[in-house]
Amino acid sequence: MGLFGKDETGSVQLDRALLPRHVAIIMDGNGRWAQKRGMPRSFGHKAGVEALRGIIRHSDDLGIEALTIYAFSTENWKRSAEEVGALMGLLLEYFTRELDELHRKNVCIRILGDIGDMPKGLERQQQALYAAMEKTRANTGLKLNIALNYGGRQEIVRAARMLARKVQAGEIGVDDIDMAHFEAELYTADLPEVDFMIRTSGEIRLSNFLLYQLAYAEFYQTDVLWPDFDENAYDEALLAYTKRNRRFGGV
Ligand code: IPE
Ligand code: IPE
Ligand code: MG
């Protein structure tokens, strides 16, 4: 086993062999980050996108196989039109600006969530998302999954509906339905198991994120607000993961 822990300068040394294959992140705290600075919430979202760039880059450098980030929940539509508009605008900007670089880095982008059912006026964002998935579909590097208009309960209900259709069409029998069939209908089909789930900003709840997939994930929470979650904070989290003892119900 290689060296891991902190070296004499205090920087984190990670044993790459022990890193998670699939990391999921609830990027939380943008609004509070902005409010602390007397700025509008959208300012925090802008800073949050910058933090995200760094975390994607670092995941890629570390050779992490899959990164799933919670960008917008099915419940986030409750926010003001101004805030939703700012978030969607940032998204479009991000995909337009970064797509070529992500593609060069062989990143494969997948959207988890119902992007076919977005409110009117977001057609450009929808197109940008479809274009990003299409362009990077065959890439074999980092699997970057963006949960957008995503709800874990909705995802599970949708999977049940898809299976019911297959039964109705005579493609499978009721008794054929097992975990493999069910998982094949989730947005995360064919991705490795989620090993590690990070939530920033001190909240300790799932907020409807990956309810099925997190069954045996290790959880990590930090008080750091998302815009401040930099590579060092990420390394700290990953270091904590490498020290966990995962038992999966065994001893
Ligand atoms: C997370 O930050 C970003 C999204 C939900 C899109 P918040 O906007 O939830 O920030 P807080 O939690 O209000 O500080
Ligand atoms: C979860 O954060 C959703 C995203 C990070 C996209 P929220 O800020 O929406 O969650 P709650 O409302 O604190 O549970
Ligand atoms: Mg929040």
Side-chain angles (χ1 to χ4, degrees):
M1 192 165 70
L3 173 77
F4 69 97
K6 289 190 186 178
D7 65 15
E8 53 291 343
T9 66
S11 74
V12 168
Q13 301 291 303
L14 290 168
D15 183 338
R16 293 191 177 210
L18 299 177
L19 289 177
R21 286 180 71 193
H22 187 168
V23 178
I25 307 182
I26 303 181
M27 313 183 288
D28 199 12
N30 293 349
R32 278 164 283 170
W33 186 90
Q35 273 156 358
K36 266 176 44 181
R37 288 163 177 73
M39 300 294 281
R41 295 177 59 84
S42 58
F43 183 70
H45 295 314
K46 211 170 155 72
V49 172
E50 292 312 310
L52 174 61
R53 290 180 65 191
I55 296 308
I56 293 173
R57 194 180 322 116
H58 200 45
S59 301
D60 187 43
D61 290 345
L62 289 170
I64 284 173
E65 196 174 326
L67 173 68
T68 298
I69 50 148
Y70 206 3
F72 196 91
S73 75
T74 42
E75 288 72 40
N76 287 146
W77 298 109
K78 292 177 188 165
R79 298 184 181 199
S80 73
E82 187 193 354
E83 184 172 352
V84 170
L87 268 163
M88 293 299 155
L90 282 165
L91 203 74
L92 179 64
E93 194 189 309
Y94 176 79
F95 277 108
T96 322
R97 196 183 53 181
E98 302 284 315
L99 187 56
D100 285 338
E101 194 192 330
L102 291 171
H103 185 50
R104 253 197 318 279
K105 285 184 158 176
N106 200 21
V107 172
C108 176
I109 297 171
R110 188 190 296 199
I111 308 296
L112 316 183
D114 195 356
I115 52 168
D117 185 34
M118 305 249 286
K120 280 214 177 357
L122 292 174
E123 290 78 11
R124 280 193 314 148
Q125 277 79 356
Q126 254 172 339
Q127 285 319 311
L129 295 168
Y130 285 126
M133 282 198 282
E134 193 48 51
K135 187 174 174 121
T136 64
R137 187 179 301 279
N139 289 350
T140 55
L142 173 70
K143 296 175 168 70
L144 174 62
N145 311 303
I146 300 163
L148 206 157
N149 194 17
Y150 174 87
R153 288 178 171 174
Q154 289 84 343
E155 179 186 34
I156 289 169
V157 170
R158 172 180 175 273
R161 198 184 310 122
M162 311 254 264
L163 285 173
R165 282 215 186 93
K166 286 191 170 170
V167 170
Q168 198 174 37
E171 288 169 38
I172 55 170
V174 170
D175 294 323
D176 296 330
I177 298 175
D178 56 9
M179 284 202 280
H181 277 105
F182 195 82
E183 286 163 14
E185 304 299 340
L186 297 174
Y187 293 122
T188 48
D190 305 322
L191 291 171
E193 281 277 317
V194 179
D195 299 305
F196 193 38
M197 201 283 286
I198 299 171
R199 183 165 189 156
T200 58
S201 87
E203 311 299 348
I204 311 176
R205 55 175 168 263
L206 288 179
S207 303
N208 207 11
F209 189 45
L210 301 178
L211 298 182
Y212 182 97
Q213 295 87 342
L214 293 176
Y216 268 106
E218 295 292 325
F219 285 14
Y220 179 90
Q221 72 90 23
T222 169
D223 290 340
V224 172
L225 302 174
W226 177 252
D228 292 328
F229 193 79
D230 59 11
E231 295 183 6
N232 291 327
Y234 192 26
D235 281 345
E236 287 274 353
L238 292 167
L239 178 66
Y241 175 85
T242 64
K243 294 175 176 171
R244 299 278 178 92
N245 176 17
R246 303 184 74 188
R247 285 191 286 275
F248 300 98
V251 287

